[in-house]
Amino acid sequence: MRIGFLINPIAGMGGRVGLKGTDGLADEAARLGAVPVAPGRAVEALRHLRDSLDDPAAIEWLTCAGTMGADVLRAAGFDAVRVVHATAAIPSRDDTVAAVEAFVAAGAGLVLFCGGDGTARDVASVVGEATPMLGIPAGVKMFSGVFGVTPAGTAEVVRDWLAGTLPLATVDVLDLDEERYRAGELAMRLSCRARTPFEPTRTQTAKALVVESSDAEVKAAIADYLGEEIAARPDTLFLLGPGSTVQAVAEALGLDKTLLGVDALLAGRLIGRDLDESAILALLARNPDARLIVSPIGAQGFVLGRGNLQISPEAIRRIGTGNIVVVATPAKLKRTAALRFDTGDAALDAELAGRGYLPVIVGYRRHRLTPVAG
């Protein structure tokens, strides 16, 4: 089997520094102290795949030179590596497109990539529905349906697909306007469709935008309940995660919260808006009694690890896994089979998943126990 593999080496860099994406902002992310995360995520997935295969040498890897592929494959222990594309000094979208064209020309039966939605869109622009594709999640946000839920989960999907036990599914590749996203507007459209190996517990669905006429009333009821909890804890730091559900709750409390940022609330007033990881950690150092209010991505179920990377594993541990407050409307939960965590820290993800179920606030003093995918 020939598999084409490429990595977007800058994918995900903007997450912890609060840039909400890295396209066109890699230099700014680096200036703010961001470090590459995609190579580590790719090595994790590839090592897991190698260790799970009876004969790793049965795969011939078609890849790019250097940091866009060959270096990572060899670091993961694969030897049958053929470079079919020489990358520019600073890799770009053109390299991604040219590499995938070379993979297809060389007979790749699958294109495995590591990146986010932008990389998925570029890969899909070449393969369409002709050659299957699958993504190792490494971007700031991943709303398309071509990604595994975690690097290890992606490896298991590849293993089972190679064994012939998984079908291919046709899924949506979503195109997000990053400029509008950074300005606080969630503007998505269907870019194209693609085929991907599908296993429901290890392959994510595309993000669903859930809007129902009753949602405003439900969010107001959730806000009433949380308002009472917040008023009763004037010395507790509340971190408010991104998303329309949490924003609606904050607005009902009279707070001007950012839609896609992480904001901080103490003693009934906002003390920080659109915080990056370092600012969150600084606040937690001064306010160790803290709660995190977040809402899952519709249909996908991700509570942490998609679109909120500034809430890092270190921040989560300081807050405490028992102090994560999950809120959602019943309409969103109806389309969300399970909650998921992909923080980049496998031990932390296992701790969060180990509870089995999490109570989700769905109304005024109303909770719904929702399963957590392991």
Side-chain angles (χ1 to χ4, degrees), residues 215-228 249 252 361-366:
D215 271 10
E217 295 179 5
V218 172
K219 290 172 182 176
I222 295 172
D224 287 343
Y225 176 33
L226 289 178
E228 293 177 0
V249 169
I361 298 174
V362 295
Y364 182 76
R365 298 192 177 277
R366 291 182 58 215

Side-chain angles (χ1 to χ4, degrees), residues 21-33:
T22 317
D23 290 354
L25 291 177
D27 290 342
E28 175 68 6
R31 186 188 68 79
L32 294 171

Side-chain angles (χ1 to χ4, degrees), residues 248-325:
V249 169
E251 288 179 347
L253 298 174
L255 304 172
D256 182 22
K257 189 205 174 306
T258 59
L259 173 60
L260 299 170
V262 177
D263 298 359
L265 174 67
L266 183 66
R269 65 183 185 89
L270 285 176
I271 61 169
R273 302 179 81 247
D274 203 6
L275 304 169
D276 62 12
E277 180 197 20
S278 62
I280 291 170
L281 293 176
L283 282 173
L284 289 171
R286 299 193 298 270
N287 303 276
D289 180 14
R291 301 288 187 276
L292 171 63
I293 300 175
V294 285
S295 186
I297 294 178
Q300 291 184 2
F302 282 100
V303 177
L304 294 168
R306 300 289 188 273
N308 52 19
L309 297 182
Q310 57 271 61
I311 309 170
S312 65
E314 182 179 352
I316 296 164
R317 285 198 167 91
R318 291 194 192 182
I319 295 165
T321 57
N323 292 324
I324 299 174
V325 180

Side-chain angles (χ1 to χ4, degrees), residues 1 3 45-61 76-78 112 154-164:
M1 168 61 69
I3 299 179
L46 292 168
R47 283 178 176 165
H48 192 87
L49 175 60
R50 182 203 62 194
D51 293 344
S52 67
L53 293 172
D54 293 332
D55 181 15
I59 301 175
E60 180 186 7
W61 294 95
F78 285 104
L112 179 67
T154 310
E156 291 164 5
V157 171
V158 175
R159 176 200 64 199
D160 293 349
W161 183 74
L162 289 171

Side-chain angles (χ1 to χ4, degrees), residues 131-280:
T131 302
M133 59 184 285
L134 180 66
I136 301 166
V140 174
K141 72 279 166 217
M142 286 149 285
F143 295 151
S144 300
V146 294
F147 292 96
V149 296
T150 63
T154 310
E156 291 164 5
V157 171
V158 175
R159 176 200 64 199
D160 293 349
W161 183 74
L162 289 171
T165 61
L166 290 185
L168 293 174
T170 302
V171 299
D172 294 340
V173 177
L174 301 179
D175 189 11
L176 181 71
D177 187 322
E178 284 211 354
E179 289 298 323
R180 292 167 68 183
Y181 185 74
R182 293 187 190 107
E185 180 182 355
L186 188 59
M188 290 192 306
R189 66 179 179 86
L190 176 64
S191 173
C192 61
R193 308 202 78 187
R195 291 192 304 154
T196 191
F198 182 77
E199 200 285 324
T201 66
R202 292 174 293 181
T203 311
Q204 72 178 44
T205 58
K207 173 180 170 60
L209 292 177
V210 181
V211 179
E212 292 195 359
S213 59
S214 62
D215 271 10
E217 295 179 5
V218 172
K219 290 172 182 176
I222 295 172
D224 287 343
Y225 176 33
L226 289 178
E228 293 177 0
E229 295 294 307
I230 291 169
R233 296 177 176 274
D235 298 323
T236 298
L237 175 71
F238 286 88
L239 293 171
L240 309 179
S244 60
T245 303
V246 179
Q247 186 194 42
V249 169
E251 288 179 347
L253 298 174
L255 304 172
D256 182 22
K257 189 205 174 306
T258 59
L259 173 60
L260 299 170
V262 177
D263 298 359
L265 174 67
L266 183 66
R269 65 183 185 89
L270 285 176
I271 61 169
R273 302 179 81 247
D274 203 6
L275 304 169
D276 62 12
E277 180 197 20
S278 62
I280 291 170

Side-chain angles (χ1 to χ4, degrees), residues 200 204-210 212 245 295-304 326-341 357-358 360 362 368-373:
Q204 72 178 44
T205 58
K207 173 180 170 60
L209 292 177
V210 181
E212 292 195 359
T245 303
S295 186
I297 294 178
Q300 291 184 2
F302 282 100
V303 177
L304 294 168
V326 183
V327 301
T329 64
K332 178 184 282 190
L333 281 190
K334 184 178 179 180
R335 295 163 174 81
T336 306
L339 304 180
R340 301 181 184 277
F341 296 89
Y357 288 81
L358 282 179
V360 178
V362 295
R368 181 173 298 171
L369 283 178
T370 305
V372 181

